[in-house]
Amino acid sequence: MPTQPRLRSRSVLAASLLLVALVASIYWPVGGYDFVGYDDPDTVLENPVVIHGLSGQGLRQAFLGTHVGFWLPVTFLSLALDHELYGMNPGGFHVTNVILHAACAVLCFWALYLLTGSFWPALAAALLFAAHPLRVESVAWITERKDVLSGLFWFLALLAYSRYVRTRKPLDYLTVAVCFALGLMAKPMVITLPFVLLILDYWPLGRYGGHADPAGREPFLRLVLEKAPLFALCAGAAWITLWAQVQSGALTSVSVLGVSDRLSNSLYAYSMSLWKFFWPTALAVVYPHPGYSLTSAPILAGALVLSAITAAVVLARKRAPWLLVGWLFYLGVLFPVSGVAQSGVQAYADRFTYLPHTGLALMAAWAGAQFAGRLSVRRGIAVGLLALCVTGLAGVSAAQVRYWKNSLTLFSHTLAVTRENWLTENLLGAALFEEGRYREAEEHLRRSVAIHPGFAHSRVNLANALAHMGMEEEAFQEYERALALNPDLPDAEN
């Protein structure tokens, strides 16, 4: 087990301030950005918890009900607090997201430093986490408050666990459990935390597997039983999430998307999320799900790459245990949103990598430190190379942030970097309609209907555009087609 480092040194303070400054330099423009027309209306503008604020009614609705297909009382109450502070000024909501991401970056550094006792690799991993372009969606999108907030509690739980392992005090374990529970109420994706703690028990904590004094090792079963209260929280969160998803109709049925197609897309999602960690280009808010059209070539390629990396890290586990730990971290934390339990229309999403990419950042940071040590690279040169890499990532992130200014910039960019994106065609058409640009809206809405004729909302939006252009007969036909697809659409009924 690594020696307990101290967090009071000037170096730790300087590193923490560096991370805050890095996040601020990337995301400073978002204070002037707007809400976007994708989930922000449901999550914030029309969310009864947010509208009622921190009142008795708001608290009851937050804890006793579900909204947008999830039970997220902590996330919704944080948005309600923003509403109390800023009203419906989107800039305030954006700034809170940035503050939370900066806090996550600092806590990521502290957690890795306390767990491993290694300053520079921990800082390098936190810098990669903070600056990576795939963080932009989670930070610049108000709806994704759940990412940065659940991340905050995730890293706090890791900090508390690093202390518990050394003290074995019940109060420290209780702190881990409370942070985990709050994280689950912010976003259930953190359900994988107990499994990650078991991985960290292997390395760097050395509680089994030969990385510590033999007297400090414990049987694996005892380590599993130690986390029984956390697994109980997992079971409760899984049941609530499944119930909320079924009630809202957000969970895709197996009869609609079969098991083989889910597994195929899961491999595709893992591969693309891995690729974009190293080559973060063509980032989009919606990557259309391929459904049944995914060919065998990308599936086979993804399976081979993932299998090869898994075999390599297992073989290297004795001389480089951080590779195995980081890789299992990535595979495990991404699994709940990999598409096996499909919710939504996306094949994968940048926001889903907010926590999983910490594992890849860990692999890169510690591998880089080992490589530099073997080559006897001077610290100044190694730090310079790290600064160059982080600066490049920050530059790409800053450019990506600008697309989140409003709905028109975001959806136009998404269409520019994706194909056959029926949902974004609909979203852009709706945004153009709100601007009174009916002819342009019609073009995008017709494309949405052509790509996915069974999506009733596109037909309603198209009918609205046609009606405003005086094409009442065709508009009426589209309303009727929409109602044939979904008889419960109030807009079409009206």
Side-chain angles (χ1 to χ4, degrees), residues 226-238:
E226 173 190 73
K227 296 164 183 63
L230 304 182
F231 284 118
L233 289 173
C234 286

Side-chain angles (χ1 to χ4, degrees), residues 40-356:
D40 277 355
D42 290 332
T43 303
V44 182
L45 300 174
E46 301 167 10
N47 187 335
V49 179
V50 177
I51 293 171
H52 290 116
L54 301 180
S55 63
Q57 184 175 359
L59 290 170
R60 285 192 299 272
Q61 289 178 323
F63 284 98
L64 300 179
T66 62
H67 194 64
V68 294
F70 289 99
W71 184 68
L72 306 173
V74 170
T75 292
F76 293 152
L77 288 175
S78 78
L79 293 169
L81 176 59
D82 277 1
H83 180 244
E84 296 278 0
L85 296 173
Y86 312 116
M88 280 301 179
N89 175 16
F93 291 84
H94 281 299
V95 169
T96 301
N97 273 23
V98 175
I99 292 172
L100 288 171
H101 180 55
C104 285
V106 172
L107 291 173
C108 176
F109 164 57
W110 289 1
L112 292 176
Y113 182 37
L114 288 176
L115 286 165
T116 65
S118 300
F119 177 87
W120 285 106
L123 177 57
L127 288 169
L128 292 175
F129 167 80
H132 202 281
L134 266 70
R135 304 292 83 78
V136 171
E137 183 169 294
S138 296
V139 182
W141 190 3
I142 294 172
T143 285
E144 289 311 307
R145 170 67 55 83
K146 52 185 177 283
D147 280 344
V148 291
L149 192 58
S150 64
L152 181 78
F153 293 118
W154 172 279
F155 291 119
L156 284 172
L158 293 184
L159 277 171
Y161 188 70
S162 71
R163 180 176 177 80
Y164 162 74
V165 169
R166 292 175 173 87
T167 66
R168 304 301 172 90
K169 293 181 179 179
L171 182 59
D172 291 327
Y173 188 94
L174 179 62
T175 305
V176 176
V178 169
C179 290
F180 182 40
L182 290 171
L184 289 170
M185 289 188 284
K187 185 175 184 177
M189 184 176 169
V190 300
I191 198 171
T192 53
L193 178 68
F195 302 95
V196 169
L197 298 183
L198 284 172
I199 297 171
L200 295 175
D201 283 338
Y202 171 70
W203 181 91
L205 297 175
R207 301 181 71 189
Y208 63 93
H211 293 285
D213 186 333
R217 300 176 195 161
E218 299 183 44
F220 177 71
L221 181 58
R222 182 182 299 172
L223 295 175
V224 174
L225 292 176
E226 173 190 73
K227 296 164 183 63
L230 304 182
F231 284 118
L233 289 173
C234 286
W239 185 88
I240 292 174
T241 301
L242 181 61
W243 175 80
Q245 290 278 283
V246 171
Q247 290 294 313
S248 67
L251 200 64
T252 304
S253 170
V254 177
S255 62
V256 176
L257 190 66
V259 174
S260 62
D261 296 300
R262 291 167 185 259
L263 294 176
S264 298
N265 184 74
S266 181
L267 286 172
Y268 178 63
Y270 271 113
S271 303
M272 292 304 299
S273 298
L274 176 64
W275 169 250
K276 286 183 181 291
F277 177 80
F278 294 100
W279 195 251
T281 59
L283 304 184
V285 69
V286 179
Y287 300 104
H289 196 290
Y292 308 103
S293 63
L294 195 60
T295 61
S296 59
I299 300 172
L300 181 60
L304 289 174
V305 169
L306 296 175
S307 299
I309 295 175
T310 302
V313 299
V314 168
L315 291 174
R317 67 188 183 280
K318 291 185 177 180
R319 64 179 183 276
W322 50 85
L323 292 178
L324 177 60
V325 168
W327 184 242
L328 292 178
F329 188 116
Y330 169 67
L331 294 180
V333 179
L334 188 61
F335 180 77
V337 290
S338 64
V340 175
Q342 183 67 33
S343 176
V345 301
Q346 72 288 326
Y348 57 97
D350 296 350
R351 59 189 178 275
F352 293 163
T353 68
Y354 191 77
L355 292 176

Side-chain angles (χ1 to χ4, degrees), residues 415-455:
L415 290 180
V417 298
T418 60
R419 294 185 300 172
E420 299 295 299
N421 199 330
W422 57 270
L423 179 59
T424 306
E425 294 281 8
N426 173 63
L427 292 169
L428 181 56
L432 289 166
F433 177 86
E434 292 295 327
E435 295 287 320
R437 297 158 63 175
Y438 305 127
R439 182 63 65 186
E440 296 171 78
E442 179 200 2
E443 294 175 4
H444 289 284
L445 294 167
R446 286 194 185 279
R447 280 200 286 270
S448 178
V449 169
I451 298 168
H452 187 4
F455 187 53

Side-chain angles (χ1 to χ4, degrees), residues 2-48:
T3 304
Q4 172 73 64
R6 300 178 64 186
L7 284 176
R8 298 178 182 176
S9 69
R10 293 181 178 178
S11 297
V12 170
L13 176 59
S16 302
L17 293 175
L18 173 63
L19 287 163
V20 172
L22 175 64
V23 171
S25 69
I26 295 171
Y27 293 100
W28 67 266
V30 301
Y33 287 4
D34 203 350
F35 294 106
V36 296
Y38 184 27
D39 283 358
D40 277 355
D42 290 332
T43 303
V44 182
L45 300 174
E46 301 167 10
N47 187 335

